[in-house]
Amino acid sequence: MEWLRLFFLHPISFYQGAAFPFALLFNYICIMDSFSIHARYLFLLAGGGTLAVAAMGPYAVLVFTPAVCAVALLCSLAPQQVHRWTFCFQMSWQTLCHLGLHYTEYYLHEPPSVRFCITLSSLMLLTQRVTSLSLDICEGKVEIASGIIRSRSSLSEHVCVALPYFSYLLFFPALLGGSLCSFQRFQACVQGSSGLYPRHPFWTLSWRSLQILGLECLNVAVSRVVGAGVGLTDCQQFECIYVMWTTAGLFKLTYYSHWILDDSLLHAAGFGSELGQSSGEEEYVPDADIWTLERTHRISVFARKWNQSTARWLRRLVFQNSRAWPLFQTFAFSAWWHGLHPGQVFGFLCWAVMVEADYLIHSFANGFIRSWLMRLFYRTLTWAHTQLIIAYIMLAVEVRSLSSLWLLCNSYNSVFPMVYCILLLLLVKRKHKCN
C-alpha cells in the first residue's frame, strides 16, 4: 500500500481527507433541513477557521486578515468601485506573501515552511473567490447594500449581513483546494431545499476513490522510473527528452489525483456537479478533464482544459477586459498570481507564444489537408508535439529556479517550442503578405 502512504504524506491531501466526515455531515444537515440558514453559514465558516488553524498554524492569520478586509470593502464601497479596490488589495497582499517566499528561498537559501506553502496555496484560492465575488457585484449578478458598515445598525445586524460573505471566502470544502464556486452557486447550495441535493453520493464518491487509487498507483510506478534514472543535470542529448516527459508525467498524475480529491470533497459537502441547477446559476466545472487533456493535439485546448475553473476565472478577469494583447496579458497575470518565480514567468510567457502559434498553425493546416490519412498523420504528429511542449512548460513552471531553468533551456528539449516559434514567425510573415 505504498500509494496510500505517499498520498497521505502530502499535507494538503491529509487535511482534505480529514475534512471529509464534516463535509458529509454538512450535506446531511442540509438534506434533513435540521439547521437554520445562519447555522449552516456558521458551520462552514467555523470548519474553515478550524481547518486553516490546523493546516497553517500561525500563518492562518495571513488568510484571515485579507478575508476580513475584503468583506469590509465589499460592505462599504459602491458596486462600481468594489472590484477595483478589492482586486488591488488582494493581489498586493498575496504578492507581499510571495515575496516572503522569495526572500526565504533565494536570499536566505532555506527551505520554506510547509505550513507557509499551504497558506500561500489557500491565499491564491481566496484571491479567486474575492475577485469572482467583486466582479459579480460590479456586474450586478450579486446585490449587496453598500455602506452597511457606515450605517447605525447594531453589531448583530452587521454580522448577519456579512456572514454569507465571510462563509463564502473561508468555507472549508474549498479552503485548501477545489474548483472555483461562484457566490450564487454557494448561496443556492446553502439555502437550497433538500430536493436539490443528490440522494446517492456514495456511488459518485466511490468512483472518484477508484480514480484516485488508479492515479496514485500510476504515480508510484512513474516515481520509481524517474527515481531510477538520471535527472536533467546528468542526462545527455536525446535522453533529456525522456527525462522531461517522464517527470512531467509525474507532475500531471499528482495534479489529477489532487483535483479529483478536491472535487470529491466539494461533492461530499453538496457543492458538486450533481447539484440541481437553478436559472442564472453558473454550472459547476471540475478542474480535471483527463480524457481531453491527454488526447488533445492542440495547445490552446490544453490551456482551456487544464485547471478548468482557474482558466475560466482568468478569462473573465483578464482576457475579456484586455484591450491589447489579451492572451499575453492573461498568461502574464497568471505568472504574477502564481508568484513570479523565474521559471513561472518563462513558462507562462512561453505558453502564451505556443498558444498563439497553435492558432495559426492549425488554421493554416486545416486549409490544405484533405485526405483522412494525411489528417491522421497530422493529428498524431501534433499530438506528440503538443504533449512534449506541455511537458517543457510544466517543468519550467515547476522547477522555478534560474539554475534548473537554464538546464532545461540548454537541453535538446528546447527544440520543440523552438519549432513552433519558427512556424509562428513564418505564418505571421505570410499573413502580413496576404493582407
Side-chain angles (χ1 to χ4, degrees), residues 298-312:
R298 300 202 56 171
I299 296 174
S300 56
V301 174
F302 194 99
R304 287 194 297 270
K305 293 297 183 179
W306 178 262
N307 200 353
Q308 283 189 90
S309 65
T310 297
R312 288 194 176 193

Side-chain angles (χ1 to χ4, degrees), residues 17-45:
F20 255 91
F22 302 98
L24 291 169
L25 176 60
F26 176 76
N27 199 351
Y28 177 77
I29 288 170
C30 293
I31 291 172
M32 300 304 294
D33 290 329
S34 53
F35 277 29
S36 67
I37 302 300
H38 287 303
R40 296 179 191 180
Y41 282 128
L42 281 172
F43 184 92
L44 291 171
L45 179 59

